[in-house]
Amino acid sequence: MRLKSLKIRLAIWYFVSFFVATSMVFASFYFTTRQTLYNHTDSLLSNHSGKIREIVIRNSSLMHTVADEKIFSQEFGEMPGMVVAISNARGEIIGGSAIVSRSSDIFTRFFTESINGDTPRFENSKIGISLMRFMVTPVYKDSIFLGTLIVGHP
């Protein structure tokens, strides 16, 4: 069997063409699906973050009691895997879900980065072995930095 025969060259060309076309279709499907899932998760995080942010701003003088409120626990009690952390203006975690470790490096990094920005941002990070999508929101009231709100979803 010669490699230069027309049959072999056409078969190889068809195989390569089919492989490239199939790869392009699956790659576009993967990236479209991934972006759709990110958009949906970001929308959920924004909705939950907005509700907590309203509670924090409304009770800014009582930030330590925000995490104890019934509304707070009801909002996130039904969402398995949801991570919530509220820090004060000094970067101390003052409330959040049971998963939050008060000395976690990831929350310290999120707090440090939120001081320099004034808009919410989304980021993928790991907690333990779980990859999660986080929304980090600096909380301001009357141009005064109250703290940082971190909401994560698997």
Side-chain angles (χ1 to χ4, degrees):
M1 190 156 67
R2 291 181 13 201
L3 206 51
K4 294 184 180 181
S5 75
L6 185 58
K7 287 182 188 180
I8 299 296
R9 284 189 280 168
L10 279 175
I12 291 173
W13 188 84
Y14 284 139
F15 172 76
V16 170
S17 298
F18 178 75
F19 180 76
V20 168
T22 305
S23 297
M24 288 174 55
V25 167
F26 282 114
S28 66
F29 176 75
Y30 169 77
F31 289 116
T32 302
T33 304
R34 185 181 73 170
Q35 191 59 43
T36 302
L37 290 173
Y38 278 162
N39 289 343
H40 178 69
T41 303
D42 292 352
S43 173
L44 286 173
L45 290 174
S46 295
N47 289 339
H48 291 297
S49 178
K51 291 175 185 177
I52 296 174
R53 188 172 178 274
E54 289 175 17
I55 294 169
V56 169
I57 289 174
R58 193 172 344 126
N59 300 324
S60 61
S61 60
L62 304 170
M63 278 187 69
H64 289 282
T65 61
V66 169
D68 297 331
E69 287 193 26
K70 196 172 191 175
I71 297 170
F72 182 79
S73 60
Q74 285 175 348
E75 181 68 31
F76 296 98
E78 63 195 41
M79 304 272 317
M82 181 72 88
V83 174
V84 178
I86 302 171
S87 71
N88 60 15
R90 293 183 304 274
E92 301 164 344
I93 303 289
I94 58 171
S97 58
I99 300 172
V100 175
S101 168
R102 302 219 185 282
S103 63
S104 178
D105 292 336
I106 190 168
F107 296 111
T108 305
R109 181 175 59 84
F110 284 157
F111 172 75
T112 305
E113 292 173 357
S114 73
I115 291 173
N116 300 328
D118 59 344
T119 58
R121 66 183 179 80
F122 296 94
E123 181 178 319
N124 294 330
S125 291
K126 275 191 171 185
I127 289 190
I129 58 171
S130 299
L131 182 63
M132 301 188 77
R133 181 89 168 156
F134 286 97
M135 179 178 182
V136 181
T137 308
V139 180
Y140 289 92
K141 182 178 182 181
D142 301 326
S143 300
I144 298 171
F145 180 69
L146 299 177
T148 303
L149 175 61
I150 302 164
V151 182
H153 194 278

